[in-house]
Amino acid sequence: MISKRIGLFIGCWLLFAGVNVMAQPAPITIFMIGDSTMANKPVIPANPERGWGQAFRALVPPSFQLVNHAMNGRSTKSFRDLGHWDNLLAQLHPGDWVVLEFGHNDAKKEDPARYADPATDYPANLRRFVAEVRVRGAHPVLATPVVRFEWTAQGELKDTHGAYLDAVRKVAAEEKVTLLDLEAL
């Protein structure tokens, strides 16, 4: 389990390691948007829970700025509806990177404020994020949602995101966006 986590973080770091820092007129900024699986968590009082975006700081070059906008309970729909996306866009500059990881809360059919259908609304929301990042000269990266902590009787992680995994992979391929396949990792 620990080696898979390390592989995830190294894979994320390698994604950005190819960026030519010297060619950039300003420091490179990586913005992260998503749900609780990526979000920063309080360190005090002692809390063992961390989003992967919180641990990512230790793995990127010190010259990179890392801004984690991920928040508990957010979906592609609620992140925009609650104004968090507009906040990020106001900070975005050409050459920046935006890693988007949603799906966990998009699947909550019982919550119309967050639900996004994996066949229609979810991929449309992802495409809109990608287009708005590109218009600003920044680089989108789509990430598959992180699997929920549910196990089969054989000790394997259950596929808890099904159609959402397929949707983000399809959007990444169609839009020619870098895909960070967290589910595969």
Side-chain angles (χ1 to χ4, degrees), residues 16-30:
F16 298 106
V19 176
N20 183 352
V21 178
M22 302 309 288
Q24 297 294 322
I28 293 171
T29 301
I30 302 169

Side-chain angles (χ1 to χ4, degrees), residues 6-170:
I6 292 169
L8 166 68
F9 293 124
I10 291 171
C12 293
W13 183 81
L14 289 173
L15 175 69
F16 298 106
V19 176
N20 183 352
V21 178
M22 302 309 288
Q24 297 294 322
I28 293 171
T29 301
I30 302 169
F31 290 96
M32 304 179 82
I33 69 164
D35 55 36
S36 61
T37 62
M38 181 194 260
N40 292 339
K41 310 292 180 164
V43 178
I44 299 173
N47 179 3
E49 182 182 1
R50 301 283 182 273
W52 70 266
Q54 187 171 4
F56 190 57
R57 170 74 265 169
L59 298 168
V60 297
S63 61
F64 286 35
Q65 295 178 359
L66 186 62
V67 183
N68 192 346
H69 285 272
M71 301 182 78
N72 291 5
R74 298 304 180 261
S75 68
T76 57
K77 180 180 183 330
S78 66
F79 196 86
R80 183 181 297 278
D81 290 350
L82 295 171
H84 305 303
W85 181 244
D86 289 336
N87 181 35
L88 177 131
L89 290 179
Q91 299 172 44
L92 197 58
H93 294 97
D96 289 343
W97 292 80
V98 181
V99 181
L100 303 104
E101 186 241 326
F102 289 103
H104 219 63
N105 297 302
D106 291 83
K108 296 186 175 181
K109 285 186 179 182
E110 71 282 359
D111 186 351
R114 296 190 282 182
Y115 178 68
D117 185 284
T120 56
D121 298 330
Y122 178 70
N125 292 343
L126 293 175
R127 284 188 180 88
R128 188 171 168 198
F129 285 139
V130 165
E132 291 172 354
V133 166
R134 285 180 166 161
V135 159
R136 287 161 177 80
H139 311 284
V141 175
L142 293 175
T144 58
V146 173
V147 68
R148 293 183 185 279
F149 201 63
E150 295 179 21
W151 303 87
T152 67
Q154 294 76 30
E156 303 272 328
L157 280 170
K158 289 183 182 179
D159 172 2
T160 57
H161 291 101
Y164 291 90
L165 297 169
D166 296 338
V168 71
R169 289 174 181 139
K170 183 177 179 183

